[in-house]
Amino acid sequence: MLTVRNLYKSIDGRPVLANVGFALAPGQVAGVIGRNGAGKTTLLRTMAGILDPDAGSVECEGKSIHRYPSVKKDVVFVPDHTESWHGYTAYGSADFYSRIYPGFDMGYFRATLSRFGLPLDRNVRLFSKGMKMMFATTLGLATKARYVLLDEPTNGVDPIAKKQVLSLLMEAAAEGTSLLISSHLLEELERMTDSILLLKDGTVESYTSEDIAGGRFVKLQVAFAGDAPERWLASDDVLVLDHIGRVYTLMLSTEGEGRAYEELRSFDPILIEPLPVKLEDLYLWKLGGGNDVG
């Protein structure tokens, strides 16, 4: 188990993470979502032991990542850029990693690069964007770390490279590797993950697939016979996703006393049609409405 306990972290005097706590179970695939600047990369880098927390702890199988450096062999961070390897060939990078991670599988690394047509002897700096992300993902998985933390692994790559990266990740997950994936590509996360960690204002809220599918929210298409109930539409338990004439697409919270749906029925609308809840709807519900980018 990779466990985050009461984690606090500031960058340049600005609080980024505040009392963050959750656990990543063996074999689990979880996603991290949040606005730009919310602290997703800081969270992953702190979990991997690259950054030190101001308070709190990150524990792998009960041992602190930051107090016991040997534990880091079970956790690897895959960044969204490859500048660190630009002075190395692909093989040189793998040789360096093999000295850090005792379980590094050079055979897997060679075979996977060959599978996708990536040269071992070319400087990583000369790779295309898609090639770089294929290389970085392969390098991270070849460590055979039990917990792999990935920052935007398919950001900016073409559809073919994206499919290749995702297939690698799903193969690793099927073999029991735990994955924590930060991404803005919500449809991908929805297909891949067991749970979602939503990062907002330095704190994390956790949602399972069942929560997103309608356990804690419902999505409805509603048509009102007369004037729309403006007070009700503006309440905290209601989010207007779309509005054309008298027809509204809405999200309603089912948490707390769940009165929003009861109130809706009292308005005697001419149409109430349930719709499937998507991860994008949760994102808009929790993070939308502001004009800032993070």
Side-chain angles (χ1 to χ4, degrees):
M1 187 83 72
L2 186 61
T3 307
V4 177
R5 300 183 191 278
N6 306 318
L7 197 65
Y8 287 82
K9 180 65 181 175
S10 296
I11 302 291
D12 295 330
R14 182 178 71 88
V16 178
L17 305 175
N19 197 31
V20 171
F22 62 90
L24 184 65
Q28 183 180 2
V29 180
V32 180
I33 63 175
R35 301 291 296 273
N36 291 332
K40 299 184 295 297
T41 300
T42 298
L43 174 62
L44 298 187
R45 288 169 64 87
T46 305
M47 291 177 66
I50 299 169
L51 298 177
D52 291 329
D54 298 329
S57 65
V58 180
E59 299 171 5
C60 183
E61 313 306 340
K63 283 191 172 184
S64 168
I65 286 283
H66 299 90
R67 291 179 58 192
Y68 300 95
S70 63
V71 178
K72 293 180 182 181
K73 71 181 187 301
D74 289 321
V75 183
V76 65
F77 172 64
V78 180
D80 65 344
H81 55 78
T82 58
E83 283 83 354
S84 299
W85 300 297
H86 281 188
Y88 298 86
T89 63
Y91 176 79
S93 303
D95 182 61
F96 178 74
Y97 261 48
S98 70
R99 301 168 192 267
I100 301 173
Y101 293 93
F104 193 91
D105 189 338
M106 187 64 78
Y108 169 87
F109 182 79
R110 286 175 172 271
T112 303
L113 258 61
S114 175
R115 169 183 167 186
F116 296 113
L118 299 182
L120 279 168
D121 58 354
R122 185 182 300 177
N123 192 305
V124 174
R125 178 176 56 83
L126 302 177
F127 285 179
S128 69
K129 174 67 173 178
M131 292 169 70
K132 288 177 179 177
M133 294 315 297
M134 277 296 306
F135 154 77
T137 303
T138 302
L139 186 66
L141 295 176
T143 65
K144 298 304 174 181
R146 285 184 284 179
Y147 301 93
V148 181
L149 318 178
L150 302 108
D151 193 10
E152 300 284 355
T154 59
N155 183 36
V157 303
D158 65 65
I160 294 176
K162 182 184 299 184
K163 184 176 181 180
Q164 292 170 334
V165 170
L166 295 179
S167 68
L168 275 185
L169 295 178
M170 291 299 93
E171 288 169 10
E175 294 175 358
T177 302
S178 300
L179 304 175
L180 184 60
I181 306 169
S182 168
S183 179
H184 288 292
L185 302 177
L186 303 182
E187 289 187 8
E188 287 181 8
L189 288 183
E190 193 166 29
R191 292 195 300 269
M192 297 168 60
T193 58
D194 309 311
S195 60
I196 290 293
L197 303 172
L198 187 145
L199 189 57
K200 180 182 180 182
D201 298 330
T203 62
V204 161
E205 295 180 11
S206 181
Y207 296 89
T208 66
S209 300
E210 289 74 19
D211 293 331
I212 297 167
R216 294 162 69 174
F217 313 93
V218 292
K219 184 178 179 182
L220 304 169
Q221 190 170 67
V222 178
F224 296 99
D227 294 335
E230 298 296 336
R231 179 197 59 79
W232 179 82
L233 290 171
S235 68
D236 291 339
D237 291 331
V238 180
L239 176 66
V240 178
L241 297 174
D242 195 17
H243 171 212
I244 301 176
R246 295 182 177 180
V247 180
Y248 289 76
T249 303
L250 307 172
M251 285 269 288
L252 306 183
S253 171
T254 60
E255 297 178 312
E257 297 182 6
R259 293 178 178 174
Y261 188 78
E262 294 179 13
E263 286 191 73
L264 173 62
R265 300 289 298 186
S266 71
F267 301 134
D268 196 23
I270 58 178
L271 171 70
I272 301 179
E273 182 179 350
L275 299 173
V277 179
K278 301 293 185 182
L279 180 55
E280 182 179 1
D281 300 322
L282 172 65
Y283 188 95
L284 291 172
W285 175 272
K286 291 293 183 176
L287 303 175
N291 294 320
D292 61 309
V293 295

